Structures are given as C-alpha cells and as structure tokens.
Amino acid sequence: MRQSKYYIVLFVFSLIPLMVACSSDSAAVDEDGNAIITTARVLDDGTVFKDGEDVHNNVVTEWAKEELDINFVTEWTQPNSEQFDTQLRLLMSSNDKLPDVFLVSNSSLKADLIESGLVMSLDEAIEEHAPPRVKELFDEFPQAFYPSTKDGEIYGIPRFSGGNGSDSLLWFRGDWLEEHGLEEPTTIEELEAVMETFIDENASGSGNTLGITLAAGDNGFRGGNIGESAWIFGAYGDYVPGYWSKDESGSLVYGSIQPNIREGLVKLNEWYEKGYLAQDFAILTGSDAQESFISGRSGIISAPPWAHGYPLGEIEQLDDDAVLKPLPHVSGENGQAGRRGEGYIVGSFLFSREFEQMDKFFEYWDAILSYTLGDTDYFEYGLFEGYDYALNDGEPVYDIAEFEELTGEKHVDPGRYFLPTNVPTIPFQMYSLLEEFYETDRDPINGYEAKLAGNNPTYIEASAIVNKQNDIRVINEFSGPPTDTMSSRSEHLERLEDELFVEIIYGTKPIEAFDDFVEEWKSSGGDDITQEVNEWYDSVTN
C-alpha cells in the first residue's frame, strides 16, 4: 500500500512541470529551454521560402532559437488582411485565447480588442524591458502610439512606416520633355504649359494625348498612391481632402471643407475643360491610371518613388525610347506646395493579456532593429548569407542577378519572415539615407545601407526628391477608430463629397455649390464628428 502511495506521489510530482507549462502557454518553454512566443500573421504570395522551409521553420526562426533562445510558434496564417482581421474577430467574440503577439492595422478592430480586455496594457512593460535605443525611438515618435492609447494607457507597440515612403512626387516622360525642348516645371503655370505642349504636339502619337493622368475611382479625392491629386489642392493651402489637420488654433479640422479645396476644384475644372484630364478620370482606379500612363497616353502622373520599379517602370520595357523622370511637386501662385503625407505606422503589435515574456519580445525587437540602425551583433553584411546576399572572395554581393549567377539559387527576401513581416522601418530614415547617397559619394557602411545604395539610380533620385520636400507634407492627425457619428454618417458624407467634387470638376455644378456642400456637411453630422475627433485627440495627447 505504501509502495502504491509512493508511486502516486512520484507521478503527481512528475506532472508539475507540464502542469505549469500548460497553465500558462505565454510563459512556456520548449524542450531546449527556448521561450515559446505564439503569433499569427498574414502570409501572402510575396513571402517566398527556400525549398524545405516554411513559416514554421526557416532561417529566421532558427536564428531566433540559436541567438535569442526564442521559439516562435505561428499558430495560424491568413492570405490577406481582411481574412486575418475576420479570424481575430471570431476569436475575440468567442473569447478564445489569442496568440501572444500579433499585428493589427485596422483601427476599429484594434479599438475593439482593447475594449474587450483580452489584450494587455504595455506602459509598465515598456518602462521595464524596452532597451534604451527602442525607448529613444518611441520618444521621437509619440504619435505612433495614439491609435493604441485608451484612457491614458498604451496597448500597442507601433510597427513604424517609412514615414514618407509612400509620399508622392511627379513622374514625367523625360523623353517627351527633351523632344519638345521643355524645361522642368516648378509651378502650376509652368506645368500647364507642359501639358498644353504635350497635347498640341500629340506627344503620345495616338491622337488623344492627355495632359496628366489622375484617378479618383478608389477613394474619391481622399487618398491613394497612383494618380492621386492631393498635391493640386496643396498648391493652394495647408489642407488636403479626407485628412484631419490642425488649424491656426491647434484644433483639428476636416480638410475637404477648407477654402483651398475650393480653389483646387476650380483649377481641376479648368484642366478638365481644356482636355488635360481623361473624360472619365473620376471613375478611374489607381490600376486604371497606371495602365493609362504605361500605355503612353499621358506624360505626367503622381506616384511614390517605389512606383518606378513597379508599375511605372514597365513603360521602359514596352518602349525603348521611354525615359521616366522624377520631379518635385509644383507650387501654386503664392509659392505654396503640399502633398499627402504617409502616416507614422502601418499597424500596432497587440499582446494577449496572458503573455508574460515581454522581456524576450523586446530582446527580439532590439535585435532585428539593430539591422536597420546599422549597429548590430548579428547582421554584418546583410540578413542571412545565401538569402539576401552572397560572399564572393569575402566580399558581399547584393545585386540579384550577380547573386543568382554566383549561387545558382533564387534570391529571396528573409526580411519577410520576421515577426513584423519585414525588417523594421524607422520613419524618414530610408529616404534620408537615399538622399545622402544621391547627393554625395559616401560609401555605405553596413549591409542595410549597401542594399539601399544598390537600388536603381532613378529610384534613388526620386527618393531624394521626396525627402527634400518633407516640409510640404500634410499629415492626417486623426488616427483613432471611427467615432460614433462617423460610424453612422461617414458613408453619407463621403458620398456627398465625392459627388459634389466630380460635379464641380465636370462643370455640371458651379463652384458656388462648394459653399452649400460645406454647410450641408456640417449640419449632417460633420460638426459632431469634428467635436468627437478633437475629443479623441485631446484624450491621447494630454
């Protein structure tokens, strides 16, 4: 009998480590002593693995185990953000356990998760565990925390954007400018002279040359990348459609109802009447706009620097004579210029309230951030040899064609394997470096810089142009979830705005209709939204 009791006691004690691990998955370790951190992510077609590797086992997951004693376990993936958000909502509604850490970009979902109590407040963890250089970065961009702040507490770690990475500039057919002896325009007036010449001289050779390609079919005039028109309104004042910006008193006001928008609509109507714009530009999507430009119908389009590689760069493959020329945004009559500015984040990392290893997360975050900062113990020449670079007689090779010839393997981007689905970015850092490389002969001093410096020279020039015009950025100061009145009235107000803008540009309504629209917008919920937006702003900044 005593022997039976002995075995029972021994059996119970043998279960204690397992019971402890199972009682709190967020504090679990694997059989090798690695901290287990569970996650979930979007896994799209842009993430390519080498043969034998996948999201669960790859060069990054092995690096994390070997160097940081972290075992990342991807519990589930979805092919796009919509399906990813849906699965998170299902977990939240059923009160199921969330992954330890996951990235959320949708502001409404982020707010609902915070409200649910299923994710943890992070102020204490940041104070106790964030390394000094991470804290410095957080202090430099406090607005990155606004979307995940509630009642004075922080619930999300920002996944920073490039800061100005998707800000636009003007792309011209440089060969058209040269062929017709045209100077590079710096003002709206000079731009009009270029468009007039393109049309009069039938620069496209098609008989229906456009002055410029614009698109308003995706989000009206409130956003977009390819063919967007915010810079036209920015040439007349400090506001762009769809963005909430500060007025002279410091309060947030809605850009679409400001006086300079009226002036921009007058100019767009003038351009439409003169045939500078496509007759159906109001329903053209960004994809339609790029196809129009690539086909050679117009010689000017607004787009970010990255558009040179794709999609705009395709024009140089279709037409041997085509030359893409990046130029700054033009100014209005009073010297004013403005462009739509990218936000500071692309999402926030939220953490399950059961997660207990924030120290390990910040250790990981600091390690991968070290690559971007160029101060690293892990990534001397690049991320991983045989993936994003190769060594030839001890010298790193970054050029993709050279890499593939040297290794006999496809070049892959292991940055896509990291938890943020790419290497961390720091607002304004990348284009600042590219501007420096464009303006000077300085050699890159680390793997990250070397990859940047190895980009196409036209892309580097475009990036430098965007960075030089950072002072004309118009940013959206509202980054919170939809307010109560937004939820009930935004669809109506946006439709009202879209229809009115198009009618004015097409000439079916006079410009005076803009004044009536402003009053109707305010009385139909706009004033309430303005109050709510400012209440939100006060709550996250005070």
Side-chain angles (χ1 to χ4, degrees):
M1 182 68 177
R2 288 181 179 178
Q3 189 176 24
S4 298
K5 288 182 178 180
Y6 170 79
Y7 282 119
I8 292 172
V9 171
L10 183 63
F11 175 71
V12 169
F13 273 96
S14 71
L15 289 177
I16 288 177
L18 179 62
M19 293 167 63
V20 170
C22 293
S23 65
S24 179
D25 290 342
S26 55
V29 295
D30 64 18
E31 58 186 10
D32 296 319
N34 299 311
I36 296 175
I37 299 180
T38 63
T39 188
R41 57 169 288 169
V42 172
L43 190 64
D44 59 23
D45 294 337
T47 305
V48 179
F49 295 98
K50 281 194 170 188
D51 289 343
E53 295 188 342
D54 57 27
V55 70
H56 306 290
N57 297 287
N58 56 67
V59 66
V60 169
T61 58
E62 289 306 306
W63 166 82
K65 290 176 185 176
E66 293 173 8
E67 298 290 345
L68 306 176
D69 299 324
I70 298 175
N71 181 3
F72 281 104
V73 176
T74 302
E75 295 187 327
W76 50 269
T77 66
Q78 290 292 353
N80 55 58
S81 57
E82 291 78 13
Q83 289 174 257
F84 181 85
D85 291 350
T86 298
Q87 184 154 349
L88 280 177
R89 282 203 175 277
L90 290 172
L91 291 174
M92 179 175 60
S93 62
S94 59
N95 206 32
D96 284 345
K97 184 181 181 303
L98 297 171
D100 293 331
V101 55
F102 49 96
L103 181 67
V104 179
S105 298
N106 182 281
S107 59
S108 296
L109 176 58
K110 194 181 303 181
D112 291 342
L113 282 163
I114 293 171
E115 186 67 29
S116 74
L118 295 175
V119 296
M120 65 188 294
S121 170
L122 299 172
D123 298 83
E124 185 176 332
I126 293 172
E127 180 61 33
E128 292 184 3
H129 301 302
R133 61 183 172 187
V134 173
K135 287 182 179 178
E136 288 177 10
L137 189 59
F138 289 170
D139 290 341
E140 186 176 356
F141 301 103
Q143 57 273 71
F145 289 93
Y146 294 170
S148 57
T149 297
K150 180 177 173 58
D151 298 330
E153 294 187 37
I154 293 171
Y155 289 85
I157 300 297
R159 163 70 165 97
F160 288 109
S161 72
N164 56 357
S166 287
D167 287 15
S168 68
L169 72 161
L170 294 178
W171 290 94
F172 284 75
R173 285 290 298 269
D175 52 314
W176 290 10
L177 291 174
E178 182 177 357
E179 179 182 352
H180 298 287
L182 297 169
E183 297 291 330
E184 298 173 356
T186 60
T187 67
I188 287 283
E189 184 178 3
E190 292 172 356
L191 177 67
E192 290 173 337
V194 170
M195 291 191 289
E196 193 75 40
T197 300
F198 283 174
I199 293 173
D200 289 347
E201 299 296 327
N202 188 25
S204 69
S206 65
N208 62 346
T209 304
L210 295 174
I212 189 170
T213 297
L214 295 180
D218 288 317
N219 301 293
F221 297 85
R222 294 184 300 280
N225 294 126
I226 309 294
E228 71 102 24
S229 56
W231 55 277
I232 298 168
F233 300 98
Y236 296 96
D238 296 328
Y239 305 95
V240 298
Y243 271 19
W244 291 86
S245 304
K246 291 181 180 179
D247 64 8
E248 294 180 354
S249 71
S251 297
L252 299 190
V253 295
Y254 187 54
S256 298
I257 63 171
Q258 304 309 312
N260 70 293
I261 305 302
R262 191 183 197 275
E263 295 182 68
L265 291 172
V266 169
K267 179 56 66 176
L268 284 168
N269 168 251
E270 182 182 323
W271 287 3
Y272 185 79
E273 297 290 344
K274 289 183 176 181
Y276 296 169
L277 310 179
Q279 291 294 300
D280 59 348
F281 91 93
I283 61 172
L284 293 180
T285 64
S287 296
D288 296 330
Q290 69 192 36
E291 289 176 10
S292 175
F293 183 79
I294 292 168
S295 69
R297 193 176 176 201
S298 83
I300 310 169
I301 192 171
S302 173
W306 48 255
H308 175 264
Y310 178 83
L312 302 186
E314 289 188 356
I315 195 172
E316 296 176 330
Q317 300 172 20
L318 298 172
D319 183 348
D320 292 338
D321 295 326
V323 176
L324 282 176
K325 178 62 179 175
L327 291 174
H329 280 304
V330 296
S331 61
E333 296 175 1
N334 60 356
Q336 176 94 30
R339 71 171 189 243
R340 191 180 303 278
E342 181 181 28
Y344 289 100
I345 68 171
V346 295
S348 305
F349 288 103
L350 303 186
F351 299 81
S352 166
R353 67 185 178 192
E354 300 175 15
F355 186 51
E356 297 178 359
Q357 303 193 88
M358 287 300 301
D359 57 333
K360 297 302 290 183
F361 170 81
F362 276 117
E363 182 183 355
Y364 170 80
W365 194 251
D366 184 68
I368 62 175
L369 184 64
S370 71
Y371 169 72
T372 309
L373 292 170
D375 181 14
T376 179
D377 295 329
Y378 307 105
F379 312 110
E380 181 179 3
Y381 298 114
L383 291 176
F384 299 99
E385 184 181 358
Y387 288 77
D388 61 322
Y389 75 96
L391 291 178
N392 186 16
D393 294 331
E395 294 297 319
V397 174
Y398 302 104
D399 180 80
I400 293 177
E402 289 184 45
F403 170 95
E404 294 182 348
E405 182 179 354
L406 180 66
T407 64
E409 297 182 0
K410 283 289 186 182
H411 180 279
V412 297
D413 179 10
R416 300 292 294 264
Y417 309 166
F418 284 120
L419 184 61
T421 68
N422 215 323
V423 295
T425 47
I426 298 172
F428 309 109
Q429 182 209 43
M430 184 171 73
Y431 283 2
S432 293
L433 286 170
L434 289 170
E435 180 185 355
E436 189 175 351
F437 293 140
Y438 180 72
E439 297 286 351
T440 72
D441 294 326
R442 179 173 82 77
D443 292 327
I445 58 175
N446 54 58
Y448 178 70
E449 289 192 2
K451 290 180 70 174
L452 290 180
N455 275 290
N456 181 286
T458 305
Y459 165 74
I460 295 177
E461 180 185 5
S463 303
I465 290 171
V466 165
N467 207 59
K468 288 177 183 177
Q469 283 198 307
N470 279 343
D471 60 330
I472 70 168
R473 299 179 77 244
V474 179
I475 62 172
N476 191 0
E477 301 278 3
F478 178 70
S479 58
T483 68
D484 290 343
T485 309
M486 278 183 183
S487 297
S488 62
R489 301 297 294 166
S490 279
E491 184 176 350
H492 167 71
L493 293 176
E494 288 176 359
R495 184 172 62 252
L496 192 71
E497 175 182 328
D498 292 343
E499 291 176 354
L500 186 278
F501 282 20
V502 170
E503 287 170 336
I504 289 176
I505 295 169
Y506 280 5
T508 58
K509 280 192 176 180
I511 189 58
E512 289 75 20
F514 178 81
D515 306 322
D516 298 332
F517 154 72
V518 171
E519 294 305 315
E520 185 175 358
W521 184 90
K522 290 180 177 181
S523 62
S524 299
D527 280 343
D528 292 332
I529 292 174
T530 301
Q531 179 179 341
E532 292 165 355
V533 164
N534 280 280
E535 288 173 353
W536 168 86
Y537 191 72
D538 289 342
S539 75
V540 297
T541 56
N542 296 325

